Amino acid sequence: MGITIANKPELDINGTRWVEIAPGAKILVGSTASPLYKSNYALIQRHLASIDMQTRVGTKDFSIADAAPVVFEQEDEMLVDLVSTHLIKAWEGIDEVDNPGVPAPYSPALCKALIRQMPNVYFLAIKTGSDIARRIEEKAQVTAEKQ
């Protein structure tokens, strides 16, 4: 009698999906379950929590007049950088202003410029990345139930 060891199916936490952002233009979005995305998001949250603690935000001791000057990046800039670096992976059909018809190579810096011009790209990337992560979780639950 022979035996086999069943390999657990790999869950693609780094899965991606192409999403159209305008006619002829699309972005490749990764999962919010990606370890790099999650760890960098956690760093941003810890940074913001630290600022809240320094200024006593959310306590009866908070006073904007008494708050020491704290230098920090804008939350929205940090989140746009996170999405541009770790969630949006590539694009197609996007040209630079100076060279119409010539495809712009993807870079996080150019992606941030795109998001500034079209803020809905940010929200679409978050929604798509979350959907990919949710589907990964659903697959994991189905797989767990089968065993």
Side-chain angles (χ1 to χ4, degrees), residues 27-146:
I27 56 174
L28 181 64
V29 180
S31 170
T32 57
S34 159
L36 280 174
Y37 178 85
K38 286 171 58 172
S39 72
N40 281 281
Y41 182 74
L43 282 172
I44 290 170
Q45 294 303 313
R46 284 195 297 272
H47 175 72
L48 296 173
S50 171
I51 292 168
D52 286 349
M53 285 178 38
Q54 290 175 40
T55 57
R56 299 183 303 270
V57 169
T59 69
K60 64 180 181 164
D61 298 329
F62 174 74
S63 167
I64 194 69
D66 296 337
V70 178
V71 178
F72 63 94
E73 292 183 68
Q74 294 288 330
E75 179 179 3
D76 58 342
E77 272 299 308
M78 290 187 291
L79 294 173
V80 166
D81 189 53
L82 175 69
V83 167
S84 299
T85 304
H86 297 292
L87 207 55
I88 299 175
K89 308 287 187 182
W91 59 31
E92 290 181 359
I94 297 175
D95 304 339
E96 288 190 47
V97 173
D98 299 337
N99 298 315
V102 177
Y106 178 82
S107 74
L110 286 177
C111 187
K112 286 166 57 173
L114 174 68
I115 290 172
R116 283 188 202 100
Q117 289 177 9
M118 298 176 64
N120 63 319
V121 170
Y122 171 85
F123 297 107
L124 181 60
I126 294 289
K127 181 178 181 271
T128 303
S130 297
D131 184 57
I132 294 168
R134 188 183 83 252
R135 291 181 188 275
I136 291 166
E137 180 61 32
E138 288 171 359
K139 284 181 185 178
Q141 289 177 2
V142 168
T143 301
E145 290 171 1
K146 288 182 179 178

